Amino acid sequence: MNRYGFRHAARMERIKLSSVRSTWWLATAAVVSMAAAGIGVGLGYRSHTPVATAAQIFNNSLGGAILAQLLLGALGVLMVTGEYGSGMIRSTFAAVPRRRTVLAAKVAVCGGAALGVGLVASFAGYLGGQLAIRGTAIPAASLTDPAILRAVVLTGLYLGVTALIGVGIGTIVRHSGAGIGTLFGLMFVPMIVAGLFGESGIQVGRFVPLLMLLNSIAVTTPVPGLFAGWISALLMCGYAAVAILCGGVLLRHRDA
């Protein structure tokens, strides 16, 4: 891959991403949803009896990631499908004929932006919960605790990787509605299926994104039977790589 061609493509993608209003709406909504969930959890536990533990507050404060993952995933989908819908993709391929370079640029730009937003959103959820319990007997969860910091960072990473899965899906499907619908299905349907098997479903559930998020990544201590948080995060990166690879193969062999 020619690095100068990639730089040119990446610059184009940065301009396109920042000039679309949906980018800012989705990014803002992701941060707000995380902060609102954190605040709501903290307020709900202020008068709770018995007094909640620091882990309870913290784990639930990051629950807004359920919505935030869909918002950032949609951002990734729209980064590709938006151009197909408007017909701009032909101009993009005319300016940068190497389609793999175009996809790599989209992955780099979207991944960097989504990771930044994901981390901000994750910290917003944490801070929202902690600020809401100030002045109560509930113990605070400090970022100096490695388990707390790990969960916050991995949750931000999870959100960023979800956007990359969206890029892969968008490249495969090439239609905004179908792409977002596919993303929604991939996030929620496997969890429902795993739940049908009861306790034995945990062997499957450890590979399901939403279950990994709620029980392994965004918690201080993973549920027994699930992978450690960092392993779950690596699995998500693997899912994103597969989606992008499949999209790249189809992109190379299909007409614009």
Side-chain angles (χ1 to χ4, degrees):
M1 183 186 300
N2 186 292
R3 63 175 181 174
Y4 298 106
F6 174 78
R7 288 178 181 175
H8 173 63
R11 184 165 57 251
M12 289 173 52
E13 296 302 329
R14 282 196 298 270
I15 294 172
K16 286 185 285 187
L17 183 65
S18 61
S19 62
V20 178
R21 282 183 294 180
S22 61
T23 298
W24 299 101
W25 281 112
L26 289 169
T28 300
V31 175
V32 170
S33 66
M34 287 289 289
I39 293 171
V41 166
L43 292 176
Y45 273 105
R46 283 185 66 90
S47 56
H48 187 271
T49 304
V51 176
T53 65
Q56 281 180 304
I57 296 294
F58 175 76
N59 293 346
N60 290 309
S61 292
L62 297 182
I66 297 174
L67 176 58
Q69 67 173 347
L70 295 177
L71 295 169
L72 291 183
L75 175 63
V77 171
L78 293 174
M79 187 164 186
V80 179
T81 59
E83 289 197 63
Y84 278 100
S86 65
M88 189 183 294
I89 193 68
R90 296 184 181 86
S91 300
T92 297
F93 289 151
V96 185
R98 294 176 64 89
R99 297 187 177 191
R100 287 180 299 179
T101 301
V102 172
L103 181 57
K106 288 183 180 295
V107 168
V109 172
C110 182
L115 177 60
V117 173
L119 288 171
V120 170
S122 184
F123 276 98
Y126 160 76
L127 289 174
Q130 296 305 300
L131 290 175
I133 62 172
R134 291 188 67 178
T136 69
I138 302 173
S142 174
L143 288 176
T144 58
D145 183 340
I148 299 295
L149 181 60
R150 172 191 55 76
V152 171
V153 172
L154 288 182
T155 299
L157 175 62
Y158 174 96
L159 295 176
V161 172
T162 303
L164 293 183
I165 293 176
V167 171
I169 292 173
T171 307
I172 295 169
V173 177
R174 303 195 298 181
H175 184 277
S176 298
I180 294 173
T182 300
L183 174 73
F184 187 94
L186 289 175
M187 290 298 171
F188 288 97
V189 173
M191 181 184 69
I192 297 173
V193 173
L196 296 177
F197 294 93
E199 292 185 2
S200 60
I202 198 167
Q203 298 302 319
V204 177
R206 65 172 67 181
F207 296 98
V208 175
L210 192 54
L211 289 178
M212 290 193 296
L213 171 67
L214 297 177
N215 299 292
S216 174
I217 292 175
V219 293
T220 55
T221 304
V223 171
L226 269 69
F227 294 121
W230 66 271
I231 295 179
S232 295
L234 286 177
L235 269 175
M236 286 296 294
C237 292
Y239 294 157
V242 170
I244 292 167
L245 180 61
C246 291
V249 171
L250 292 174
L251 183 66
R252 185 177 181 183
H253 293 94
R254 289 192 302 199
D255 294 331

